[in-house]
Amino acid sequence: MSANNKTGLHAMQYKTIDGLQIRFATNEKKSGHPILLLSPLPESILAFLPTWNMFADLGPIIAVDLPPFGRSETRADTRTPEVVGDFLLRIMDAFGMNQPHVIAPDIGTPACLFAAANHPGIFKSLVIGSGATDHTDILGDLDRIVNAPSLEPFKDLTGEQFVRAAVADMMHYKLPDYALQDYIASYAGQKFWDAMAFVRDYPEALPRLATRLSEITVPCQLTVGRHDPFVPVSNAEGLHRGLPKSRLNVIDCGHFVWEDAAEEYGRLACDFIQGGYAKL
């Protein structure tokens, strides 16, 4: 991907929001409805490299490393799904975004759903999925970390080890080395444990979220991988049943559907943003 195309992911910037340095990228488009992209775990906004141009054609984009993820700063009070969901409002205010379409795979799923429940009407639509919404229905390393009584068994695990093991799940996408290095840098040292604090809150947060799904009226596109080794399709099926307005698509790939099946993921997201959301 060349630096002179429609991507801002080669010219990432920082903006101070509520005292934190938040990393973001944007495009040059001025017209159209605003779109907010939120980075997944254990990645960063570079996860949108293969879909950026598709989204950049639709309207003005702000892509953000949502704390405590990616290269953004974090602190002790921005490490749970509900609080991070509220932080989204500060991000939107800082960039002057009014009712954006939000593309938020993985950890963005519970954060955005909490935000939508707590602040009705703030989003035009949500493109979510591949993020746990039932902590009793997750697999592999995610299950072991989320539901372990303590983190003592993982004290020797590093962010780099976690990143490399996770992205090894990709079946089709050749991850650029500079993106991999950015992911690794995003979870170096304490940042890895900050991110783990977010998912470790799932046993407290997700049961509360489940009781509020019927309140969430924003149209939701749920896009997940059929062979996800961390968050099985049954999570999305439960979410689909609980949300008043949702559409579920299951793609033949693993967890990282936004990279591993970028063309189909991007097409579904674009279709939803360009009017599909209004049909729910």
Side-chain angles (χ1 to χ4, degrees):
M1 182 174 288
S2 65
N4 61 357
N5 63 11
K6 293 183 285 290
T7 178
L9 291 175
H10 293 277
M12 291 178 282
Q13 308 168 62
Y14 285 84
K15 187 178 185 72
T16 301
I17 301 176
D18 196 27
L20 297 177
Q21 287 290 295
I22 302 300
R23 189 172 73 163
F24 74 97
T26 187
N27 63 345
E28 297 179 355
K29 194 172 180 68
K30 303 300 182 184
S31 61
H33 203 86
I35 301 169
L36 178 61
L37 309 181
L38 302 176
S39 63
L41 171 73
E43 301 183 305
S44 73
I45 50 178
L46 289 181
F48 297 110
L49 279 168
T51 53
W52 181 274
N53 283 347
M54 299 177 73
F55 301 149
D57 281 338
L58 301 183
I61 289 178
I62 299 291
V64 174
D65 277 337
L66 191 64
F69 309 102
R71 302 295 286 274
S72 289
E73 286 185 335
T74 190
R75 59 178 179 244
D77 64 347
T78 55
R79 296 176 189 168
T80 67
E82 188 162 9
V83 170
V84 171
D86 284 341
F87 195 85
L88 272 175
L89 274 71
R90 300 187 187 103
I91 291 173
M92 290 162 52
D93 286 344
F95 288 105
M97 303 187 87
N98 181 38
Q99 269 201 324
H101 295 286
V102 182
I103 299 175
D106 192 76
I107 49 84
T109 296
C112 285
L113 290 174
F114 266 119
N118 290 335
H119 309 280
I122 62 167
F123 304 131
K124 180 68 74 173
S125 74
L126 293 177
V127 177
I128 51 178
S130 300
T133 49
D134 180 353
H135 74 285
T136 68
D137 184 30
I138 52 179
L139 305 170
D141 287 342
L142 181 61
D143 177 35
R144 287 186 282 273
I145 290 173
V146 167
N147 293 308
S150 81
L151 287 174
E152 179 63 21
F154 307 99
K155 65 182 187 322
D156 295 326
L157 181 65
T158 67
E160 179 171 357
Q161 291 170 330
F162 187 80
V163 168
R164 289 187 181 276
V167 300
D169 168 60
M170 293 189 195
M171 303 165 64
H172 310 294
Y173 179 58
K174 181 173 175 53
L175 182 65
D177 185 65
Y178 70 90
L180 174 61
Q181 294 306 315
D182 190 74
Y183 298 167
I184 290 170
S186 294
Y187 302 97
Q190 181 59 35
K191 278 296 296 291
F192 174 60
W193 299 110
D194 293 338
M196 293 304 99
F198 181 98
V199 298
R200 289 274 291 171
D201 191 56
Y202 281 179
E204 295 292 330
L206 299 187
R208 287 188 286 108
L209 178 61
T211 67
R212 305 196 62 191
L213 293 181
S214 63
E215 305 170 33
I216 300 171
T217 57
V218 59
C220 297
Q221 165 70 51
L222 313 177
T223 311
V224 299
R226 188 180 311 279
H227 310 292
D228 192 323
F230 310 114
V231 184
V233 174
S234 49
N235 253 257
E237 290 171 338
L239 192 57
H240 184 43
R241 288 192 297 270
L243 289 169
K245 297 180 180 180
S246 67
R247 182 175 77 178
L248 172 61
N249 290 91
V250 182
I251 298 178
D252 193 28
C253 67
H255 177 74
F256 299 93
V257 58
W258 48 93
E259 290 162 298
D260 222 19
E263 185 173 349
E264 188 170 359
Y265 181 88
R267 179 182 58 77
L268 287 167
C270 289
D271 174 70
F272 197 67
I273 289 171
Q274 289 180 295
Y277 74 93
K279 299 176 183 178
L280 294 181

